[in-house]
Structure formats: C-alpha cells, structure tokens
Coordinates of all heavy atoms in Angstrom, one line a residue:
M1 N 0.9 -1.2 0.0 CA 0.1 -0.1 0.0 C 0.9 1.1 0.0 O 1.8 1.4 0.8 CB -0.8 0.0 1.3 CG -1.9 1.1 1.3 SD -3.0 0.8 2.6 CE -3.0 2.3 3.5
T2 N 0.6 2.2 -0.8 CA 1.3 3.4 -1.0 C 0.4 4.6 -0.9 O -0.7 4.6 -1.5 CB 2.1 3.5 -2.3 OG1 2.8 2.3 -2.5 CG2 3.0 4.5 -2.5
D3 N 0.9 5.6 -0.1 CA 0.0 6.8 0.0 C 1.0 7.9 -0.5 O 2.1 7.9 -0.8 CB -0.4 7.1 1.3 CG 0.6 7.2 2.5 OD1 1.7 7.8 2.1 OD2 0.4 6.8 3.6
K4 N 0.3 9.1 -0.6 CA 1.1 10.3 -1.2 C 2.2 10.8 -0.3 O 3.1 11.5 -0.6 CB 0.1 11.4 -1.4 CG -0.8 11.2 -2.6 CD -1.8 12.3 -2.8 CE -2.9 12.0 -3.9 NZ -3.8 13.1 -4.2
K5 N 2.1 10.4 1.1 CA 3.1 10.9 2.0 C 4.2 9.9 2.2 O 5.0 10.1 3.2 CB 2.4 11.2 3.3 CG 1.4 12.4 3.2 CD 0.9 12.8 4.5 CE -0.1 13.9 4.4 NZ -0.7 14.3 5.7
S6 N 4.3 8.8 1.5 CA 5.3 7.9 1.7 C 6.6 8.5 1.3 O 6.7 9.4 0.5 CB 5.1 6.6 0.8 OG 5.1 6.8 -0.5
R7 N 7.7 8.0 2.0 CA 9.0 8.7 1.8 C 10.0 7.6 1.0 O 9.9 6.4 1.2 CB 9.6 9.0 3.1 CG 8.9 10.0 3.9 CD 9.3 11.5 3.4 NE 8.7 12.3 4.3 CZ 9.2 13.4 4.5 NH1 10.4 13.7 4.0 NH2 8.6 14.4 5.3
R8 N 10.8 8.1 0.4 CA 11.9 7.3 -0.2 C 13.1 7.2 0.9 O 13.5 8.1 1.5 CB 12.5 8.0 -1.5 CG 11.5 8.0 -2.6 CD 12.0 8.4 -3.9 NE 12.5 9.9 -3.6 CZ 13.4 10.6 -4.3 NH1 14.0 9.9 -5.3 NH2 13.6 11.8 -4.0
V9 N 13.5 5.9 0.9 CA 14.6 5.6 1.9 C 15.9 5.1 1.3 O 15.7 4.2 0.4 CB 14.1 4.6 3.0 CG1 15.2 4.2 3.9 CG2 12.9 5.1 3.7
V10 N 17.0 5.5 1.7 CA 18.3 4.9 1.2 C 19.0 4.4 2.3 O 19.2 5.0 3.4 CB 19.1 6.1 0.5 CG1 20.4 5.6 0.0 CG2 18.4 6.7 -0.7
I11 N 19.3 3.1 2.2 CA 20.2 2.5 3.2 C 21.6 2.2 2.7 O 21.8 1.6 1.7 CB 19.6 1.2 3.5 CG1 18.2 1.4 4.1 CG2 20.4 0.4 4.7 CD1 17.4 0.2 4.4
I12 N 22.6 2.7 3.3 CA 23.9 2.7 2.9 C 24.7 1.6 3.7 O 24.8 1.8 5.1 CB 24.7 4.0 2.9 CG1 24.0 4.9 2.0 CG2 26.1 3.9 2.6 CD1 24.5 6.4 2.0
N13 N 25.3 0.6 3.2 CA 26.0 -0.5 3.9 C 27.6 -0.3 3.6 O 27.9 0.6 2.8 CB 25.5 -1.8 3.3 CG 24.2 -2.1 3.8 OD1 23.8 -1.9 5.0 ND2 23.3 -2.5 2.9
N14 N 28.4 -1.1 4.2 CA 29.7 -1.1 4.0 C 30.4 0.2 4.1 O 31.2 0.7 3.3 CB 30.1 -1.7 2.5 CG 29.4 -3.0 2.3 OD1 29.4 -3.8 3.2 ND2 29.0 -3.2 1.1
I15 N 30.1 0.9 5.3 CA 30.7 2.1 5.5 C 32.1 1.9 6.1 O 32.1 1.0 7.0 CB 29.8 3.0 6.5 CG1 28.5 3.2 5.8 CG2 30.5 4.2 6.9 CD1 27.5 3.8 6.7
K16 N 33.1 2.6 5.7 CA 34.4 2.5 6.3 C 34.5 3.1 7.5 O 35.0 4.2 7.8 CB 35.4 3.0 5.3 CG 35.6 2.2 4.0 CD 36.5 2.8 3.0 CE 36.5 2.2 1.8 NZ 37.4 2.7 0.7
S17 N 34.0 2.5 8.6 CA 34.1 2.9 10.0 C 34.1 1.8 10.9 O 33.5 0.8 10.8 CB 32.8 3.8 10.2 OG 32.7 4.2 11.6
D18 N 34.7 1.9 12.1 CA 34.7 1.0 13.2 C 33.3 1.1 14.0 O 33.0 0.2 14.8 CB 35.9 1.2 14.2 CG 37.2 1.1 13.4 OD1 37.3 0.3 12.5 OD2 38.2 1.7 13.9
N19 N 32.8 2.2 13.8 CA 31.5 2.5 14.7 C 30.1 2.3 14.0 O 29.2 2.0 14.6 CB 31.6 3.8 15.3 CG 32.8 4.0 16.2 OD1 33.0 3.2 17.0 ND2 33.6 5.0 15.8
I20 N 30.1 2.6 12.6 CA 28.9 2.7 11.9 C 28.9 1.4 11.0 O 29.7 1.2 10.1 CB 28.9 3.9 11.2 CG1 28.9 5.1 12.0 CG2 27.5 4.0 10.3 CD1 29.1 6.5 11.3
D21 N 27.8 0.7 11.2 CA 27.5 -0.6 10.3 C 26.6 -0.1 9.1 O 26.9 -0.6 8.0 CB 26.8 -1.6 11.1 CG 26.6 -2.9 10.3 OD1 27.6 -3.3 9.6 OD2 25.5 -3.5 10.4
Q22 N 25.6 0.6 9.3 CA 24.8 1.0 8.3 C 24.2 2.5 8.5 O 24.1 2.9 9.7 CB 23.6 0.0 8.5 CG 22.6 0.0 7.3 CD 21.7 -1.2 7.5 OE1 20.9 -1.1 8.5 NE2 21.7 -2.2 6.7
A23 N 23.9 3.2 7.5 CA 23.3 4.4 7.6 C 22.0 4.6 6.8 O 21.9 4.0 5.7 CB 24.2 5.6 7.1
I24 N 20.9 5.0 7.4 CA 19.6 5.1 6.8 C 19.3 6.6 6.6 O 19.2 7.3 7.5 CB 18.6 4.4 7.7 CG1 18.9 3.0 7.8 CG2 17.2 4.5 7.0 CD1 18.1 2.3 8.9
F25 N 19.0 7.0 5.4 CA 18.6 8.3 5.1 C 17.2 8.3 4.4 O 16.9 7.5 3.6 CB 19.6 8.9 3.9 CG 20.9 9.1 4.5 CD1 21.9 8.1 4.3 CD2 21.3 10.3 5.1 CE1 23.2 8.3 4.8 CE2 22.7 10.4 5.6 CZ 23.5 9.5 5.4
I26 N 16.4 9.2 5.1 CA 14.9 9.4 4.5 C 15.0 10.8 3.6 O 15.4 11.7 4.1 CB 14.0 9.6 5.7 CG1 14.1 8.4 6.5 CG2 12.6 9.9 5.1 CD1 13.3 8.5 7.9
L27 N 14.7 10.5 2.4 CA 14.9 11.6 1.4 C 13.6 12.5 1.4 O 12.4 12.0 1.5 CB 15.1 11.0 0.0 CG 16.3 10.0 -0.1 CD1 16.4 9.4 -1.5 CD2 17.5 10.7 0.3
K28 N 13.9 13.7 1.0 CA 12.8 14.6 0.7 C 12.2 14.4 -0.6 O 12.8 13.8 -1.5 CB 13.4 16.0 0.8 CG 13.8 16.5 2.1 CD 14.4 18.0 2.1 CE 14.9 18.4 3.4 NZ 15.4 19.7 3.4
N29 N 11.0 14.7 -0.9 CA 10.2 14.6 -2.1 C 10.6 15.8 -3.1 O 10.1 16.8 -3.1 CB 8.8 14.5 -2.0 CG 8.5 13.3 -1.3 OD1 9.0 12.2 -1.5 ND2 7.4 13.4 -0.5
N30 N 11.8 15.6 -3.8 CA 12.2 16.6 -4.9 C 12.1 15.8 -6.2 O 13.0 15.3 -6.7 CB 13.6 17.1 -4.7 CG 13.8 17.8 -3.3 OD1 12.7 18.5 -2.8 ND2 14.9 18.0 -2.8
R31 N 11.0 16.0 -6.8 CA 10.7 15.3 -8.1 C 11.0 16.2 -9.3 O 11.1 15.7 -10.3 CB 9.2 14.7 -8.1 CG 9.0 13.9 -7.1 CD 8.1 12.7 -7.5 NE 7.8 11.9 -6.3 CZ 8.2 10.8 -6.1 NH1 9.1 10.2 -6.9 NH2 7.9 10.0 -5.0
A32 N 11.4 17.5 -9.1 CA 11.6 18.4 -10.2 C 13.0 18.1 -10.9 O 13.1 18.4 -12.1 CB 11.7 19.8 -9.7
E33 N 13.9 17.5 -10.2 CA 15.2 17.3 -10.9 C 15.2 16.0 -11.6 O 14.4 15.1 -11.3 CB 16.4 17.4 -9.7 CG 16.4 18.7 -9.0 CD 17.5 18.7 -8.1 OE1 18.5 18.0 -8.3 OE2 17.4 19.4 -7.0
G34 N 16.2 15.8 -12.4 CA 16.3 14.6 -13.2 C 16.7 13.5 -12.2 O 17.5 13.7 -11.2
H35 N 16.4 12.2 -12.5 CA 16.7 11.1 -11.7 C 18.1 10.8 -11.5 O 18.6 10.6 -10.4 CB 16.0 9.8 -12.3 CG 16.2 8.6 -11.5 ND1 15.7 8.4 -10.2 CD2 16.9 7.5 -11.8 CE1 16.0 7.3 -9.7 NE2 16.9 6.7 -10.7
H36 N 18.9 10.9 -12.6 CA 20.4 10.6 -12.5 C 21.1 11.7 -11.6 O 22.0 11.3 -10.8 CB 21.0 10.6 -13.8 CG 22.4 10.4 -13.9 ND1 23.0 9.1 -13.5 CD2 23.5 11.2 -14.0 CE1 24.3 9.2 -13.5 NE2 24.6 10.4 -13.9
R37 N 20.8 12.9 -11.8 CA 21.3 14.1 -11.0 C 20.9 13.8 -9.5 O 21.8 14.0 -8.7 CB 20.8 15.4 -11.4 CG 21.5 16.4 -10.8 CD 21.2 17.8 -11.4 NE 21.9 18.8 -10.7 CZ 21.3 20.0 -10.3 NH1 20.2 20.3 -10.9 NH2 21.9 20.9 -9.7
I38 N 19.7 13.5 -9.3 CA 19.2 13.2 -7.8 C 20.2 12.1 -7.3 O 20.7 12.1 -6.2 CB 17.8 12.9 -7.8 CG1 17.0 14.2 -8.0 CG2 17.5 12.4 -6.3 CD1 15.6 13.9 -8.1
K39 N 20.4 11.1 -8.0 CA 21.0 9.9 -7.5 C 22.5 10.2 -7.2 O 23.0 9.8 -6.0 CB 20.9 8.8 -8.6 CG 21.5 7.4 -8.1 CD 21.3 6.4 -9.2 CE 21.9 5.1 -8.8 NZ 21.7 4.0 -9.7
T40 N 23.2 10.9 -8.0 CA 24.7 11.2 -7.7 C 24.6 12.3 -6.6 O 25.5 12.2 -5.7 CB 25.3 11.8 -8.9 OG1 24.6 13.0 -9.4 CG2 25.5 10.7 -9.9
T41 N 23.6 13.3 -6.5 CA 23.7 14.2 -5.5 C 23.4 13.6 -4.1 O 24.1 13.9 -3.1 CB 22.7 15.3 -5.7 OG1 22.9 15.8 -7.0 CG2 22.7 16.4 -4.7
I42 N 22.6 12.6 -4.1 CA 22.2 11.9 -2.9 C 23.4 11.2 -2.2 O 23.8 11.2 -1.2 CB 21.0 11.0 -3.1 CG1 19.7 11.8 -3.3 CG2 20.8 10.0 -1.9 CD1 18.5 10.9 -3.7
V43 N 24.0 10.4 -3.2 CA 25.3 9.6 -2.8 C 26.4 10.5 -2.2 O 27.0 10.3 -1.2 CB 25.8 8.8 -4.1 CG1 27.0 8.1 -3.7 CG2 24.8 7.8 -4.4
Q44 N 26.7 11.6 -3.0 CA 27.7 12.6 -2.5 C 27.3 13.2 -1.3 O 28.1 13.3 -0.2 CB 27.9 13.6 -3.5 CG 28.5 13.2 -4.7 CD 28.5 14.3 -5.9 OE1 27.7 15.2 -5.7 NE2 29.2 14.0 -7.0
E45 N 26.0 13.6 -1.0 CA 25.7 14.3 0.2 C 25.6 13.3 1.4 O 26.0 13.6 2.5 CB 24.1 14.9 0.0 CG 23.7 15.6 1.2 CD 22.5 16.4 1.0 OE1 21.9 16.3 -0.2 OE2 22.0 16.9 1.8
A46 N 25.1 12.1 1.1 CA 25.2 11.0 2.3 C 26.5 10.8 2.6 O 26.8 10.6 3.9 CB 24.4 9.7 1.7
Q47 N 27.5 10.6 1.7 CA 28.8 10.3 2.0 C 29.5 11.4 2.8 O 30.2 11.2 3.8 CB 29.7 10.1 0.7 CG 31.0 9.5 1.0 CD 31.0 8.2 1.7 OE1 30.4 7.3 1.3 NE2 31.7 8.0 2.8
D48 N 29.1 12.7 2.5 CA 29.5 13.9 3.2 C 29.1 13.9 4.7 O 29.8 14.2 5.6 CB 29.2 15.2 2.5 CG 30.0 15.4 1.2 OD1 30.9 14.8 0.9 OD2 29.4 16.3 0.4
I49 N 27.8 13.5 4.8 CA 27.4 13.4 6.1 C 27.9 12.4 7.0 O 28.3 12.5 8.2 CB 25.8 13.2 6.1 CG1 25.0 14.4 5.5 CG2 25.1 12.8 7.4 CD1 23.6 14.2 5.0
I50 N 28.1 11.2 6.5 CA 28.8 10.0 7.2 C 30.3 10.5 7.5 O 30.6 10.3 8.7 CB 28.8 8.7 6.3 CG1 27.4 8.3 6.1 CG2 29.6 7.7 6.8 CD1 27.2 7.2 5.1
N51 N 31.0 11.0 6.5 CA 32.3 11.4 6.8 C 32.4 12.5 7.9 O 33.4 12.4 8.8 CB 33.0 12.0 5.5 CG 33.3 10.9 4.4 OD1 33.2 9.7 4.9 ND2 33.4 11.3 3.3
S52 N 31.5 13.4 7.9 CA 31.5 14.5 9.0 C 31.2 13.9 10.3 O 31.9 14.3 11.2 CB 30.4 15.6 8.5 OG 30.2 16.4 9.6
Y53 N 30.3 12.9 10.4 CA 29.9 12.3 11.7 C 31.2 11.5 12.2 O 31.6 11.7 13.3 CB 28.8 11.4 11.6 CG 28.4 10.6 12.8 CD1 27.8 11.5 13.8 CD2 28.8 9.4 13.1 CE1 27.5 10.8 15.0 CE2 28.6 8.8 14.3 CZ 27.9 9.4 15.2 OH 27.6 8.9 16.4
V54 N 31.8 10.8 11.3 CA 33.0 10.0 11.6 C 34.1 10.9 12.1 O 34.7 10.6 13.2 CB 33.4 9.1 10.5 CG1 34.8 8.5 10.9 CG2 32.5 8.0 10.3
R55 N 34.3 12.0 11.5 CA 35.3 13.0 12.0 C 35.0 13.6 13.3 O 35.9 13.7 14.2 CB 35.5 14.1 10.9 CG 36.5 13.9 9.9 CD 36.8 15.1 9.0 NE 36.1 14.8 7.7 CZ 35.1 15.5 7.2 NH1 34.7 16.5 7.7 NH2 34.5 15.1 6.1
Q56 N 33.7 13.9 13.5 CA 33.3 14.4 14.9 C 33.5 13.4 15.9 O 34.0 13.8 17.0 CB 31.9 14.7 14.8 CG 31.5 16.0 14.0 CD 30.1 16.3 14.0 OE1 29.3 15.6 14.5 NE2 29.7 17.3 13.3
V57 N 33.3 12.1 15.7 CA 33.5 11.1 16.7 C 35.1 10.9 17.0 O 35.4 10.8 18.1 CB 32.8 9.7 16.2 CG1 33.3 8.6 17.0 CG2 31.4 9.9 16.3
D58 N 35.8 10.9 16.0 CA 37.2 10.9 16.0 C 37.8 12.0 16.9 O 38.7 11.9 17.7 CB 37.8 10.7 14.7 CG 37.7 9.4 14.1 OD1 37.2 8.4 14.8 OD2 37.9 9.3 12.9
M59 N 37.4 13.2 16.7 CA 37.8 14.4 17.3 C 37.4 14.3 18.8 O 38.2 14.7 19.7 CB 37.1 15.7 16.7 CG 37.8 16.1 15.4 SD 37.0 17.5 14.6 CE 37.0 18.7 16.0
I60 N 36.2 13.9 19.2 CA 35.8 13.7 20.5 C 36.7 12.7 21.2 O 37.1 13.0 22.4 CB 34.3 13.3 20.7 CG1 33.5 14.5 20.2 CG2 34.0 12.9 22.0 CD1 31.9 14.1 20.0
R61 N 37.0 11.7 20.6 CA 37.9 10.6 21.3 C 39.3 11.2 21.4 O 40.0 11.0 22.3 CB 38.0 9.4 20.3 CG 36.9 8.4 20.4 CD 37.0 7.3 19.6 NE 35.8 6.5 19.7 CZ 35.6 5.5 18.7 NH1 36.5 5.3 17.7 NH2 34.5 4.8 18.8
A62 N 39.8 12.0 20.4 CA 41.2 12.6 20.6 C 41.2 13.6 21.6 O 42.2 13.7 22.4 CB 41.6 13.2 19.2
E63 N 40.0 14.4 21.9 CA 40.2 15.4 22.9 C 40.0 14.9 24.3 O 40.4 15.6 25.2 CB 38.9 16.4 22.6 CG 39.0 17.3 21.5 CD 37.8 18.2 21.3 OE1 36.9 18.0 22.1 OE2 37.9 18.9 20.3
S64 N 39.3 13.7 24.5 CA 39.1 13.2 25.8 C 40.3 13.2 26.8 O 40.3 13.7 27.9 CB 38.5 11.8 25.7 OG 37.3 11.9 25.1
P65 N 41.5 12.6 26.3 CA 42.6 12.7 27.3 C 43.0 14.1 27.6 O 43.4 14.3 28.8 CB 43.7 11.9 26.5 CG 43.0 11.1 25.5 CD 41.9 11.8 25.2
N66 N 43.1 15.0 26.6 CA 43.5 16.3 26.9 C 42.4 17.0 27.9 O 43.0 17.7 28.7 CB 43.5 17.2 25.6 CG 44.7 16.7 24.7 OD1 45.6 16.1 25.2 ND2 44.6 16.8 23.4
R67 N 41.3 16.7 27.6 CA 40.2 17.3 28.6 C 40.4 16.9 30.0 O 40.3 17.6 30.9 CB 38.8 16.9 28.0 CG 37.7 17.6 28.6 CD 36.3 17.4 28.2 NE 36.3 17.9 26.8 CZ 35.5 17.4 25.9 NH1 34.5 16.7 26.2 NH2 35.4 17.8 24.7
R68 N 40.8 15.6 30.1 CA 40.9 15.0 31.5 C 42.1 15.7 32.1 O 42.1 16.0 33.3 CB 41.2 13.5 31.5 CG 39.9 12.7 31.2 CD 40.0 11.3 31.2 NE 39.1 10.6 30.4 CZ 39.2 9.8 29.5 NH1 40.5 9.3 29.2 NH2 38.2 9.2 28.9
K69 N 43.2 15.8 31.4 CA 44.4 16.6 32.0 C 44.0 17.9 32.4 O 44.5 18.4 33.4 CB 45.5 16.5 30.9 CG 46.2 15.2 30.7 CD 47.3 15.4 29.6 CE 47.8 13.9 29.2 NZ 48.8 14.0 28.1
K70 N 43.3 18.7 31.5 CA 43.0 20.0 31.9 C 42.1 20.1 33.2 O 42.3 21.0 34.0 CB 42.2 20.8 30.8 CG 43.1 21.1 29.6 CD 42.3 21.7 28.4 CE 43.2 21.9 27.3 NZ 42.3 22.4 26.1
Q71 N 41.2 19.0 33.3 CA 40.3 19.1 34.5 C 41.1 18.8 35.7 O 40.9 19.4 36.8 CB 39.2 18.0 34.3 CG 38.1 18.5 33.3 CD 37.1 17.3 33.1 OE1 37.4 16.2 33.5 NE2 36.0 17.8 32.5
R72 N 42.1 17.8 35.7 CA 43.1 17.5 36.8 C 43.8 18.8 37.2 O 43.9 19.1 38.4 CB 43.9 16.4 36.4 CG 43.4 15.1 36.6 CD 44.4 14.0 36.4 NE 43.8 12.9 35.6 CZ 44.5 12.4 34.6 NH1 45.5 12.7 34.4 NH2 43.9 11.4 34.0
A73 N 44.4 19.5 36.2 CA 45.1 20.7 36.4 C 44.2 21.8 37.2 O 44.7 22.4 38.1 CB 45.7 21.3 35.2
L74 N 43.0 22.0 36.7 CA 42.1 22.9 37.3 C 41.8 22.6 38.7 O 41.7 23.3 39.6 CB 40.8 23.1 36.4 CG 40.9 23.8 35.2 CD1 39.7 23.6 34.3 CD2 41.3 25.3 35.4
R75 N 41.5 21.3 38.9 CA 41.2 20.8 40.3 C 42.4 21.0 41.2 O 42.1 21.4 42.3 CB 40.9 19.3 40.4 CG 39.4 19.1 40.0 CD 39.1 17.6 40.3 NE 38.4 17.1 39.1 CZ 38.7 16.0 38.4 NH1 39.8 15.3 38.6 NH2 38.1 15.8 37.3
F76 N 43.5 20.8 40.8 CA 44.9 21.0 41.5 C 44.9 22.4 41.8 O 45.3 22.6 43.0 CB 46.0 20.5 40.8 CG 47.3 20.8 41.5 CD1 47.6 19.9 42.6 CD2 48.1 21.7 41.1 CE1 48.9 20.2 43.2 CE2 49.3 22.0 41.7 CZ 49.7 21.2 42.9
T77 N 44.8 23.3 40.9 CA 44.9 24.7 41.0 C 43.9 25.2 42.1 O 44.1 26.1 43.0 CB 44.8 25.5 39.8 OG1 45.7 25.0 38.8 CG2 44.9 27.0 39.9
A78 N 42.6 24.7 41.9 CA 41.6 25.0 42.9 C 41.8 24.7 44.4 O 41.7 25.5 45.3 CB 40.2 24.5 42.5
T79 N 42.3 23.5 44.5 CA 42.7 22.9 45.8 C 43.8 23.7 46.5 O 43.7 24.1 47.6 CB 43.2 21.4 45.6 OG1 42.0 20.7 45.1 CG2 43.5 20.8 47.1
L80 N 44.9 24.1 45.5 CA 45.9 24.9 46.0 C 45.5 26.2 46.5 O 45.9 26.8 47.6 CB 47.0 25.0 44.9 CG 48.4 25.3 45.3 CD1 49.0 24.4 46.4 CD2 49.2 25.5 44.2
S81 N 44.5 26.8 45.8 CA 44.0 28.2 46.0 C 43.3 28.1 47.4 O 43.5 29.0 48.3 CB 43.1 28.6 44.9 OG 43.8 28.8 43.7
V82 N 42.4 27.1 47.6 CA 41.7 26.9 48.8 C 42.7 26.8 50.0 O 42.6 27.4 51.0 CB 40.7 25.8 48.9 CG1 40.1 25.4 50.2 CG2 39.6 26.1 47.9
L83 N 43.7 25.9 49.9 CA 44.7 25.8 51.0 C 45.4 27.1 51.3 O 45.7 27.3 52.4 CB 45.7 24.6 50.5 CG 45.0 23.3 50.5 CD1 46.2 22.3 50.0 CD2 44.7 22.8 52.0
S84 N 45.7 27.9 50.2 CA 46.4 29.1 50.4 C 45.5 30.1 51.2 O 46.0 30.8 52.2 CB 46.8 29.8 49.0 OG 47.6 29.0 48.3
V85 N 44.2 30.1 51.0 CA 43.4 31.0 51.6 C 43.3 30.5 53.0 O 43.2 31.4 54.0 CB 42.0 31.0 50.9 CG1 40.9 31.7 52.0 CG2 42.0 31.7 49.6
I86 N 43.2 29.2 53.2 CA 43.1 28.8 54.7 C 44.4 29.1 55.4 O 44.4 29.6 56.6 CB 42.9 27.1 54.6 CG1 41.5 26.9 54.1 CG2 43.2 26.6 56.0 CD1 41.2 25.5 53.9
C87 N 45.6 29.0 54.8 CA 46.8 29.3 55.4 C 46.8 30.8 55.8 O 47.4 31.1 56.9 CB 48.0 28.9 54.6 SG 48.3 27.2 54.4
I88 N 46.5 31.6 54.9 CA 46.4 33.1 55.1 C 45.5 33.4 56.3 O 45.9 34.3 57.1 CB 46.1 33.9 53.8 CG1 47.2 33.6 52.9 CG2 45.8 35.3 54.0 CD1 46.8 34.2 51.4
G89 N 44.3 32.8 56.3 CA 43.4 33.1 57.4 C 43.9 32.7 58.7 O 43.7 33.3 59.7
L90 N 44.7 31.4 58.7 CA 45.2 31.0 60.0 C 46.4 31.9 60.5 O 46.5 32.3 61.6 CB 45.8 29.6 59.8 CG 44.7 28.5 59.7 CD1 45.3 27.1 59.6 CD2 43.8 28.4 61.0
S91 N 47.0 32.4 59.5 CA 48.1 33.4 59.8 C 47.6 34.6 60.3 O 48.2 35.3 61.4 CB 49.1 33.6 58.6 OG 49.6 32.5 58.1
V92 N 46.6 35.1 59.8 CA 46.0 36.3 60.3 C 45.4 36.2 61.7 O 45.5 37.0 62.6 CB 44.9 36.9 59.3 CG1 44.1 38.1 59.9 CG2 45.6 37.4 58.0
A93 N 44.7 35.0 61.8 CA 44.2 34.7 63.1 C 45.2 34.7 64.3 O 45.1 35.1 65.3 CB 43.4 33.4 63.1
L94 N 46.4 34.0 64.0 CA 47.4 33.9 64.8 C 48.0 35.2 65.3 O 48.4 35.5 66.4 CB 48.6 32.9 64.3 CG 48.3 31.4 64.4 CD1 49.3 30.7 63.7 CD2 48.2 31.0 65.9
L95 N 48.2 36.0 64.1 CA 48.7 37.4 64.4 C 47.8 38.2 65.3 O 48.3 39.0 66.2 CB 48.9 38.1 63.2 CG 50.1 37.7 62.2 CD1 50.1 38.5 61.0 CD2 51.4 38.1 63.0
L96 N 46.5 38.2 65.2 CA 45.6 38.7 66.1 C 45.6 38.3 67.6 O 45.4 39.0 68.4 CB 44.1 38.7 65.4 CG 43.8 39.4 64.2 CD1 42.5 39.1 63.6 CD2 44.1 41.0 64.3
I97 N 45.7 37.0 67.6 CA 45.7 36.3 69.0 C 47.0 36.7 69.6 O 47.0 37.1 70.9 CB 45.7 34.9 68.8 CG1 44.3 34.5 68.3 CG2 46.0 34.2 70.2 CD1 44.2 33.0 68.0
M98 N 48.1 36.9 68.9 CA 49.4 37.2 69.6 C 49.4 38.7 70.0 O 50.3 39.0 70.9 CB 50.5 36.9 68.6 CG 50.6 35.3 68.4 SD 51.9 35.1 67.2 CE 53.3 34.6 68.4
R99 N 48.7 39.5 69.5 CA 48.8 40.9 69.9 C 48.2 41.2 71.2 O 47.6 40.9 72.1 CB 48.1 41.8 68.8 CG 48.9 41.9 67.6 CD 48.2 42.9 66.8 NE 49.2 43.1 65.6 CZ 48.9 44.1 64.7 NH1 47.9 44.9 64.9 NH2 49.7 44.1 63.7

C-alpha cells in the first residue's frame, strides 16, 4: 500500500568505519530534478554526512585525554588556592591572637 506521504529511503552499507555498520537516510520529495542528477547528489551528500559524523566522533575521542588533563590541572589549582586562603586566614588569626 502506498500513499502520497510515503518517503523514499536509502540504506547505505559497507561504511568504512569502526563504529557505523549502516546508515539510513530518509529523502525529501524533490521530483523536479532529473533522476540521475538526484542519484549522484544523494550519494555525495550522504557520504559527506557520514564522513562528517565519523570526523566528529574521532575528534571527541582525541580530545578526551586532553580534557581530563585540563580538568586535573584545574582541580589541583583550585585545591591549592583553597589551601592558600586557609593558610592566610590562620596566619591572620594567629597574628591577631598574639597581639
């Protein structure tokens, strides 16, 4: 059974990725262009989308160790700052007591 609102679906297999097995694209209804032109445009656009996604995943993986190092450094700096404030506070308290 087909109705006027049915969509064309393209399923892409054999993607060169360790993470993606298959990509499913739901196409818009653009019937004005020629069939061959639509077909090549769809393939190029789908490949660009897949490549972009794979690059984003790779970038996130590459950033993770650096992000952890930055977080550790920030925690260390914050801890050191808190300890410094405590030491200064104790020093001032001792000075006031000794007077």
Side-chain angles (χ1 to χ4, degrees):
M1 181 167 134
T2 306
D3 62 35
K4 292 180 182 179
K5 294 183 180 182
S6 65
R7 298 276 188 151
R8 293 181 298 155
V9 176
V10 174
I11 300 172
I12 299 177
N13 296 309
N14 302 325
I15 297 170
K16 295 177 183 175
S17 170
D18 295 335
N19 303 308
I20 301 171
D21 182 45
Q22 190 176 67
I24 300 171
F25 293 90
I26 300 171
L27 306 179
K28 294 180 180 179
N29 290 325
N30 293 338
R31 303 221 183 251
E33 297 181 34
H35 179 69
H36 179 70
R37 182 166 178 222
I38 290 175
K39 189 175 179 180
T40 57
T41 303
I42 289 169
V43 171
Q44 290 169 349
E45 189 173 355
Q47 191 62 51
D48 291 344
I49 292 168
I50 293 167
N51 291 341
S52 173
Y53 179 78
V54 170
R55 267 188 256 116
Q56 287 175 359
V57 169
D58 289 342
M59 284 175 50
I60 290 169
R61 283 186 184 159
E63 286 179 2
S64 293
N66 293 336
R67 189 176 298 164
R68 287 185 204 129
K69 287 179 184 176
K70 287 178 184 177
Q71 287 175 345
R72 278 190 224 133
L74 286 173
R75 274 190 229 124
F76 177 76
T77 304
T79 304
L80 199 59
S81 298
V82 168
L83 289 174
S84 298
V85 168
I86 291 171
C87 288
I88 292 170
L90 289 174
S91 299
V92 169
L94 284 173
L95 286 174
L96 290 175
I97 291 172
M98 295 176 99
R99 283 188 180 191

